[in-house]
Amino acid sequence: MKNEELKIFAPATIANVSCGFDVLGLALDNVGDEMLIRKVAKKGVTITKIIGQDLPLETHNNVAGVAALALLAETESDFGFEIEIDKRIKPGSGIGSSAASSAGAVWAINKLLGNPFNSTDLVRFAMEGERLATGVAHADNVAPALFGGFTLVRSYNPLDIISINTPSKLYATVIHPQIEVKTSDAREILKTNIPLKDAIKQWGNVGGLISGLYTEDYELIGRSLEDYIIEPIRSILIPAFDPVKNKSLNAGALGCGISGSGPSIFALSKGKETALKVAEAMKSVYEKVGIEYDVHVSKVNKQGIKEL
Amino acid sequence: MKNEELKIFAPATIANVSCGFDVLGLALDNVGDEMLIRKVAKKGVTITKIIGQDLPLETHNNVAGVAALALLAETESDFGFEIEIDKRIKPGSGIGSSAASSAGAVWAINKLLGNPFNSTDLVRFAMEGERLATGVAHADNVAPALFGGFTLVRSYNPLDIISINTPSKLYATVIHPQIEVKTSDAREILKTNIPLKDAIKQWGNVGGLISGLYTEDYELIGRSLEDYIIEPIRSILIPAFDPVKNKSLNAGALGCGISGSGPSIFALSKGKETALKVAEAMKSVYEKVGIEYDVHVSKVNKQGIKEL
C-alpha cells in the first residue's frame, strides 16, 4: 500500500468572527491538533491513541471517528483506518477543537484514498463530528479548518462554502479563560427572534467585512467587526469580556469579539507587533482578576490542514 | 462666473437587491433624470421647471430643493441655484426616482462650488430629499446614484458607504407595473422582529453576493440573490410577482426580486442578450393579465451621475 500513513496538522479556528454568526470562520496558523492517520487491513475506524486530553476512544463517541465513518459510509473500501490524535486544542475552548479533529480525519482519509471526495463533501463529513460534539452539525469551524483563510458558509441547504480572500498582514490574538462554556448552553440563551433593525446593521457589517477582506482595507475590516445580535447576550457568560475587549481595542486591535460560542475571546490586528501588544493587554486583565488563561498569537492561516 | 451651468444625468437605482435590505443598491445606465443646475445671483434654491411629471415646484416640497438646501446650509455662498428637472423616472416606481433628483442636485451644486464636500457629505445631503419623499432618510438609492456601481451602506451612524466592485457583464432588467405602492405602506407591513434563523440565511447571502461581485463569479451572485425576510411579505403587494420571477429565472436571469419597495421587479443577468430575453419573459406575464408596464434593460452603471 502506497501512502499508507499521513501525519497532519489540523488548525484551530475562530467561528462567527463578530458579525458573521453561523456563517464566517477563519483558521489559525500555529495552534492545532497533530494527527496520524494510517491505512490498515482491518475495516472500519479505530482511534488508537489520544495524547493530551481525556477524550473517548470509542469510534462512535469520538468526533474524528464519527466524521471518518461518515466518509467511509460513502465508499466501498476494502480496508480501514487507525487514527492517533495529539490533542493540542483544549475541548470547550471555543476555537474549534472538535472541528480540527473531525476535519483532520476526513482530509487525511480522503487523501489516503486518492481524493475521491471534493471539499464540500469533506465539510459534510466533518460536520457529523460537530453534530456529535454540540448537537448541531455546523460548518463554520470545519470549513476554515479544511480550506484555510476566511470562509463563508453561504448556505447549508444546499451546502455552499465560499473561500474569501485573506489579507496577508492579518493576525489573530486569542485568549482562553479557563472556564467552561458549553456550546449547547451558549446556544440556548440566544433569542429565537431578533429586531429587524439590528439584523440590518449586522448584514451591513457582513458586507463591509467581506468587502474589506477583498480590498485588504484593514480599517474597513475593523469597522465591520461589530456584533449587534449575539455578543450582547453571550458576553455575559465570559468573565471580564468588556475590559478584555476595551483593552484590546486600545492596544490597536482592529476588532475584538467572542470566538465561536466562547469562552475564548479573539482580536484581529494588522501585523504581528500589534497582535502581540493585544495579547499583553488581554493577559493584563485576567492577571488582575486572577483567572487562569492560555494566549495564542497567530497569523491567519491561508492553507488549512497540512501534512507534517 | 465660471462653470455657471451644468447639465447632468442622474441614474435610476435598484435598492435592496434581494438579500441586502436597506444596505445594498446599484445604478442603472440608461434610465435616469436629466437636470440643469445654474448658479445665479439670487440666493437660495429655485426649482424653475419640471418636465414630464407633475411634481411640486416649491423648494421645500421638492426633493431636489430640500437636498440642495441641506447642502447650502453648510456653506456661506453669496449666490444661489436654479434647478430644471427633466423627470424621466416615474415617481413611485421603485427605481429611486426621488434619489436621482436629490443626488443630482447636490452633485451638481457641489461641482459648481468647486467640490467643497466629499462623497459621504453628498449622500448625507441627498438623504434629506429621501426623508421628504418617504419619511425615512435612507441612503441605499442615493449612494449608488452618486457613486455608480454596487454600493453598500455599511452603517448609518456614522454614515459609512462602501463602493463594491461591479462585474462588467452584469445587466439589469426592470419591469414597472403601472400601479402605485407607497414606500411608507411597503414599510408598514414589515415585521419589527424576524427569526434569527432567517437572518442568518440573509447575511450568508449578503456575504455571498459581495464575494461574487469581487470575484466576478456570476453563478455565486445568482445563488446569493435570495431574500428570506422582505420579499415573502412585500411581494403580495405586486401583481403577478411569482410568475414574473419564475419566468425571469427560466429565461436565464441570475436572480430576480423586488426593486426597492416595489412595485418594480428587477432581474440581474450575465450579458445583454440574456437581459433582453428576461425582459420578454417579464412582459409576457403582464401582457397576459393585461397590466400596463414599462420595461428597462440596462448595464449596471459604474459611473453614477455624469455631465451631459
Side-chain angles (χ1 to χ4, degrees):
Chain A
M1 290 197 294
K2 212 181 123 196
N3 270 342
E4 61 184 352
E5 181 174 296
L6 274 182
K7 193 177 178 190
I8 62 162
F9 169 83
T13 47
I14 295 170
N16 298 341
V17 198
S18 292
C19 52
F21 179 66
D22 268 8
V23 306
L24 283 173
L26 64 87
L28 299 179
D29 210 27
N30 55 7
V31 193
D33 292 345
E34 289 186 14
M35 301 172 75
L36 192 71
I37 289 91
R38 192 178 298 119
K39 192 152 72 164
V40 292
K42 189 190 164 197
K43 283 192 173 192
V45 176
T46 312
I47 313 293
T48 52
K49 201 198 294 190
I50 299 173
I51 303 167
Q53 296 292 331
D54 184 24
L55 288 168
L57 283 166
E58 305 78 35
T59 306
H60 284 277
N61 286 325
N62 181 288
V63 297
V66 165
L69 289 175
L71 182 154
L72 288 181
E74 297 190 18
T75 64
E76 295 186 9
S77 90
D78 286 331
F79 33 79
F81 294 89
E82 289 180 355
I83 301 174
E84 273 184 43
I85 310 172
D86 183 355
K87 192 73 206 154
R88 299 184 176 201
I89 313 170
K90 286 187 187 165
S93 54
I95 52 170
S97 177
S98 55
S101 297
S102 306
V106 299
W107 187 90
I109 291 175
N110 187 49
K111 188 148 195 191
L112 290 169
L113 289 173
N115 294 314
F117 296 107
N118 67 28
S119 51
T120 307
D121 291 330
L122 296 185
V123 172
R124 189 161 52 80
F125 301 139
M127 284 165 69
E128 293 306 314
E130 296 293 75
R131 192 194 303 278
L132 177 68
T134 69
V136 181
H138 62 101
D140 46 349
N141 289 105
V142 293
L146 282 163
F147 300 175
F150 271 83
T151 58
L152 170 76
V153 185
R154 189 198 61 81
S155 155
Y156 275 90
N157 188 15
L159 191 59
D160 189 10
I161 312 284
I162 316 294
S163 279
I164 307 294
N165 181 65
T166 301
S168 296
K169 291 178 191 157
L170 215 50
Y171 278 75
T173 310
V174 179
I175 192 158
H176 174 210
Q178 307 289 299
I179 59 153
E180 197 188 350
V181 174
K182 280 195 184 164
T183 303
S184 51
D185 290 348
R187 264 191 186 266
E188 262 169 31
I189 61 166
L190 297 181
K191 298 191 172 116
T192 311
N193 288 293
I194 60 170
L196 175 59
K197 68 175 178 44
D198 291 344
I200 293 166
K201 288 187 197 172
Q202 197 89 346
W203 61 62
N205 280 319
V206 169
L209 178 53
I210 301 286
S211 178
L213 290 170
Y214 278 103
T215 57
E216 312 215 345
D217 179 338
Y218 294 88
E219 294 300 318
L220 174 56
I221 291 168
R223 296 200 301 280
S224 304
L225 288 170
E226 289 282 352
D227 174 2
Y228 292 95
I229 313 282
I230 309 298
E231 184 178 296
I233 298 171
R234 278 193 175 163
S235 60
I236 59 175
L237 298 175
I238 301 172
F241 177 81
D242 289 343
V244 170
K245 178 168 180 165
N246 292 336
K247 288 223 171 199
S248 298
L249 296 175
N250 288 339
L254 299 169
C256 178
I258 303 168
S259 177
S261 55
S264 285
I265 302 172
F266 82 97
L268 292 183
S269 298
K270 183 181 178 183
K272 190 171 184 178
E273 201 183 329
T274 305
L276 289 167
K277 276 186 200 156
V278 170
E280 291 308 312
M282 288 177 160
K283 282 156 69 174
S284 74
V285 176
Y286 285 145
E287 292 285 351
K288 209 168 172 182
V289 293
I291 292 173
E292 299 279 307
Y293 59 83
D294 292 326
V295 167
H296 310 288
V297 174
S298 168
K299 198 167 182 174
V300 178
N301 162 6
K302 294 194 192 189
Q303 191 181 354
I305 294 166
K306 64 182 175 198
E307 269 191 78
L308 293 175
Chain B
M1 290 198 293
K2 210 181 125 197
N3 268 344
E4 61 185 354
E5 180 175 297
L6 274 182
K7 192 176 177 193
I8 62 162
F9 168 83
T13 46
I14 295 170
N16 298 342
V17 199
S18 292
C19 52
F21 180 66
D22 267 7
V23 305
L24 283 174
L26 64 87
L28 299 180
D29 210 27
N30 55 6
V31 192
D33 292 345
E34 289 187 15
M35 303 174 72
L36 193 70
I37 288 90
R38 193 178 299 118
K39 192 152 73 165
V40 292
K42 187 190 165 198
K43 283 193 175 191
V45 176
T46 313
I47 312 293
T48 51
K49 201 198 293 189
I50 299 174
I51 303 167
Q53 296 290 331
D54 183 26
L55 289 167
L57 283 165
E58 303 80 34
T59 306
H60 283 278
N61 286 326
N62 180 289
V63 296
V66 165
L69 289 174
L71 182 154
L72 288 181
E74 297 190 19
T75 65
E76 294 186 9
S77 91
D78 286 330
F79 32 78
F81 294 89
E82 289 179 355
I83 301 173
E84 274 184 40
I85 309 173
D86 183 355
K87 192 72 205 154
R88 302 188 173 197
I89 312 170
K90 287 188 187 165
S93 53
I95 52 171
S97 177
S98 55
S101 298
S102 306
V106 300
W107 187 90
I109 292 175
N110 188 50
K111 188 147 195 191
L112 290 169
L113 289 172
N115 294 314
F117 296 107
N118 67 28
S119 50
T120 307
D121 291 329
L122 297 186
V123 172
R124 191 162 51 81
F125 301 139
M127 283 166 67
E128 293 305 314
E130 294 293 75
R131 194 195 301 280
L132 177 67
T134 69
V136 181
H138 61 101
D140 46 350
N141 289 105
V142 294
L146 282 162
F147 300 175
F150 271 83
T151 59
L152 170 76
V153 186
R154 189 197 63 80
S155 155
Y156 275 90
N157 189 16
L159 191 58
D160 190 8
I161 312 283
I162 316 294
S163 279
I164 307 294
N165 181 66
T166 301
S168 297
K169 292 179 190 156
L170 215 50
Y171 278 76
T173 309
V174 179
I175 193 157
H176 172 211
Q178 308 289 301
I179 60 155
E180 197 186 351
V181 174
K182 281 195 181 164
T183 302
S184 51
D185 290 348
R187 266 193 183 266
E188 263 171 30
I189 60 164
L190 298 181
K191 299 193 171 109
T192 311
N193 288 294
I194 60 171
L196 175 59
K197 68 175 178 44
D198 291 343
I200 293 166
K201 288 186 198 172
Q202 197 90 345
W203 62 61
N205 280 318
V206 169
L209 178 54
I210 302 285
S211 179
L213 290 169
Y214 278 103
T215 57
E216 311 214 345
D217 178 339
Y218 293 87
E219 294 300 317
L220 174 56
I221 292 168
R223 296 200 301 279
S224 304
L225 288 171
E226 289 281 352
D227 174 1
Y228 292 95
I229 312 283
I230 310 300
E231 184 178 296
I233 299 172
R234 279 192 174 165
S235 59
I236 58 175
L237 298 176
I238 300 171
F241 177 81
D242 289 343
V244 170
K245 177 166 180 168
N246 291 336
K247 288 223 170 197
S248 298
L249 296 175
N250 287 340
L254 300 168
C256 177
I258 303 169
S259 178
S261 56
S264 285
I265 302 172
F266 81 97
L268 293 182
S269 300
K270 183 180 178 184
K272 191 172 184 180
E273 200 183 330
T274 304
L276 288 168
K277 276 187 200 158
V278 169
E280 291 308 312
M282 287 176 160
K283 282 157 70 172
S284 74
V285 176
Y286 285 144
E287 291 285 353
K288 207 167 170 182
V289 293
I291 292 173
E292 298 279 307
Y293 60 83
D294 291 328
V295 167
H296 309 289
V297 174
S298 168
K299 199 167 179 172
V300 178
N301 162 4
K302 295 192 191 191
Q303 190 181 353
I305 293 166
K306 63 183 176 199
E307 269 190 79
L308 293 175

